[in-house]
């Protein structure tokens, strides 16, 4: 087995993910609207991408700013984002968060981790994604794909996403931070899936710890 190289792995991911479907949050991120990135990321938590895509499109049609969101009731938001996972909690948080943004931040999404984390329904994953995608700040968003694949490669050895984020902050060169989530999510949704990863077609198998220990 060859020594794992993060530069080689990410350069391979850049090539093969070009033709793969964009994750919904990356689609939303293209217009750099921090509020929309924040809300679509909240909907995406523990929810399949296709479900998030449809839920977000329904909600966006009627409410794509905090002002418009406050014109809806919690039940209306629930109906629009259903069947996203935990849709009731998410609807309540979206409403509260929009109110806080208007009352305390002039309707503008804050640009620092600590303040983002103080908003209802916002955890590290969401905050990191907003920082990178909306504000172009160096941060590492660790979701289930990033956590799983970084461990499969043997690049980190961690038990949960928080440990993975902290380990990556120490060893992942900062030039890769912003792109890391985007590349690994696409790779994880299409090739290195949670169950039955498509290792036979993956050119990383000669340096992947998971492949060596389970398939070689
Ligand atoms: S060899 Fe398999 S487990 Fe390793 S990165 Fe490729 S798809 Fe994922």
């Amino acid at each position: 087995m060859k020594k794992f190289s993060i530069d080689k792995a990410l350069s391979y991911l850049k090539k093969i993910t070009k033709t793969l479907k964009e994750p919904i949050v990356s689609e939303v991120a293209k217009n750099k609207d921090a509020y929309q990135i924040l809300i679509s990321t909240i909907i995406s938590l523990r929810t399949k991408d296709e479900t998030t895509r449809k839920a977000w499109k329904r909600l966006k049609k009627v409410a794509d700013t905090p002002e418009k969101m406050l014109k809806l009731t919690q039940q209306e938001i629930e109906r629009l984002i259903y069947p996203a996972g935990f849709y009731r909690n998410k609807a309540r948080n979206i409403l509260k968060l929009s109110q806080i943004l208007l009352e305390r931040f002039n309707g503008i999404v804050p640009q620092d981790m600590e303040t983002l984390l103080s908003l209802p329904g916002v955890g590290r994953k969401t905050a990191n994604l907003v920082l990178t995608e909306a504000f172009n700040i160096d941060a590492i968003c660790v979701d289930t794909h990033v956590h799983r694949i970084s461990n499969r490669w043997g690049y980190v050895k961690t038990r949960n996403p928080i440990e993975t984020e902290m380990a990556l902050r120490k060893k992942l060169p900062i030039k890769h931070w912003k792109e890391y989530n985007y590349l690994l999510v696409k790779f994880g949704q299409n090739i290195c899936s949670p169950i039955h990863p498509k290792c036979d077609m993956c050119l990383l198998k000669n340096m992947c710890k998971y492949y060596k220990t389970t398939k070689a």
Side-chain angles (χ1 to χ4, degrees), residues 146-194:
V146 171
H147 173 60
R148 179 183 71 257
I149 297 168
S150 303
N151 275 279
R152 277 183 177 170
W153 286 341
Y155 189 53
V156 298
K157 196 174 171 199
T158 52
R159 291 164 298 182
N160 55 54
I162 297 278
E163 284 186 13
T164 302
E165 186 192 332
M166 296 311 148
L168 288 172
R169 279 177 167 273
K170 281 190 195 142
K171 73 184 299 188
L172 180 67
I174 203 160
K175 65 179 178 182
H176 294 312
W177 284 23
K178 282 187 223 138
E179 64 185 2
Y180 198 71
N181 175 276
Y182 172 75
L183 292 172
L184 270 67
V185 169
K186 264 183 146 185
F187 184 57
Q189 284 177 344
N190 293 279
I191 296 168
C192 193
S193 40

Side-chain angles (χ1 to χ4, degrees), residues 109-133:
V109 175
Q111 296 196 23
D112 68 283
M113 171 67 90
E114 206 178 316
T115 317
L116 281 168
L117 289 176
S118 72
L119 298 172
V122 178
R124 288 195 72 86
K125 177 192 154 179
T126 303
N128 275 316
L129 203 68
V130 170
L131 292 177
T132 52
E133 298 292 352

Side-chain angles (χ1 to χ4, degrees), residues 191-213:
I191 296 168
C192 193
S193 40
I195 306 166
H196 307 311
K198 299 182 181 108
C199 298
D200 290 340
M201 63 173 288
C202 176
L203 292 188
L204 298 181
K205 56 180 170 283
N206 61 359
M207 58 178 180
C208 173
K209 187 175 145 218
Y210 176 90
Y211 185 80
K212 187 191 166 210
T213 51

Side-chain angles (χ1 to χ4, degrees), residues 61-82:
K61 259 190 198 166
V62 281
D64 58 357
T65 63
E67 292 85 353
K68 289 183 194 166
M69 198 66 76
L70 286 187
K71 294 202 170 107
L72 300 177
T73 64
Q74 185 180 322
Q75 289 70 28
E76 282 169 329
I77 300 175
E78 285 176 11
R79 272 199 294 278
L80 288 163
I81 66 172
Y82 178 85

